[in-house]
Amino acid sequence: LRPCRCGAGDVKLTLGSVEHFIRVSRQPLRSDKGEATGYLWTLRDITQQRLAEQMRDQFIDAATHELRTPLSNIKAYAETLAAMKTPDLESQKEFCNTINTEATRLARFVDDLLSISSMEAGSLSINRQNVDLQRLFAEVVGKVRPLAESKSLQFDADLSPKLPELKLDKDKIIAAVVNLLGNAVKYTPSGGRVGLKVAAPADVLQIDV
């Protein structure tokens, strides 16, 4: 390990196949008379900090893409709709449904960003209440089906008719399941199939995507 001559800097070490980042700094040591007697070298492992910075940069890149896509689609469909002199009713419905779907996708992503900020600040709260699971997952299906149809995907929802009532945070459960299904829709090629199966065997809620 050879620190830089300036007395401070980051050094990358490879131990086996794992990379580590060490921050090196130094401070002069002086006697009671102010004479330089040596240096105090400090080595601090900043590997986790570097990884967090890399993940943040990757997240920002992904967020930029995720925000730009629905905004571009909303703008394009709205401009097309406004430019049509005599749009037929079916075209109006199709364009409005697409705009609504993209706006919902955008709102969901903003909610995700707010949840991440709350978790980092340590202020994420859980609001538990008795929830009818049948209605909860019907709402999930209603949010995801338009996304699947927009990609020409077959979306199958298999909900057990005997789902119990549970005490949970409805909004966060919906957000988690919609995100899972949203990723499935996003990475499934057009013409493919996405399925949701929900059951509650032996007092355990089981969700399969």
Side-chain angles (χ1 to χ4, degrees):
L1 176 63
R2 295 183 178 179
C4 60
R5 293 183 179 181
C6 64
D10 296 344
V11 178
K12 183 172 73 172
L13 300 176
T14 301
L15 302 177
S17 60
V18 181
E19 290 185 346
H20 293 268
F21 292 90
I22 307 297
R23 179 155 292 169
V24 182
S25 61
R26 73 176 184 181
Q27 292 179 324
L29 298 177
R30 299 185 182 278
S31 65
D32 294 339
K33 297 180 181 180
E35 298 174 344
T37 59
Y39 294 94
L40 172 65
W41 291 93
T42 303
L43 284 72
R44 184 161 61 94
D45 189 338
I46 61 167
T47 304
Q48 292 301 319
Q49 178 182 333
R50 280 294 189 94
L51 291 175
E53 291 173 353
Q54 292 175 4
M55 291 178 65
R56 181 197 61 198
D57 293 341
Q58 292 173 1
F59 176 77
I60 290 174
D61 290 341
T64 301
H65 174 73
E66 290 290 341
L67 289 170
R68 183 183 293 117
T69 301
L71 284 173
S72 298
N73 289 340
I74 290 171
K75 186 173 185 294
Y77 276 90
E79 288 177 347
T80 303
L81 190 59
M84 297 173 69
K85 295 182 179 179
T86 55
D88 61 272
L89 185 58
E90 288 302 318
S91 296
Q92 287 182 340
K93 288 182 177 180
E94 179 184 352
F95 281 38
C96 288
N97 286 337
T98 301
I99 291 172
N100 182 60
T101 298
E102 294 297 330
T104 301
R105 175 182 171 190
L106 190 60
R108 187 173 68 248
F109 189 74
V110 171
D111 288 340
D112 291 343
L113 291 178
L114 293 175
S115 295
I116 291 170
S117 298
S118 297
M119 284 188 288
E120 289 181 340
S123 61
L124 185 66
S125 60
I126 303 298
N127 179 27
R128 290 189 177 92
Q129 54 187 320
N130 291 328
V131 175
D132 182 343
L133 293 183
Q134 205 73 40
R135 294 180 63 183
L136 183 151
F137 285 103
E139 185 173 339
V140 168
V141 171
K143 290 176 179 290
V144 175
R145 191 175 296 282
L147 297 176
E149 291 176 350
S150 68
K151 280 196 63 178
S152 301
L153 298 177
Q154 178 184 342
F155 179 59
D156 298 327
D158 181 5
L159 307 181
S160 171
K162 297 182 179 180
L163 292 176
E165 186 177 273
L166 293 181
K167 192 171 185 178
L168 46 80
D169 190 318
K170 176 183 176 183
D171 291 337
K172 290 182 176 59
I173 292 295
I174 288 177
V177 179
V178 168
N179 279 339
L180 285 173
L181 288 167
N183 285 334
V185 169
K186 179 178 179 180
Y187 294 107
T188 300
S190 296
R193 174 185 171 275
V194 173
L196 169 68
K197 183 177 181 180
V198 182
D203 298 326
V204 175
L205 180 61
Q206 181 174 326
I207 304 169
D208 296 318
V209 175

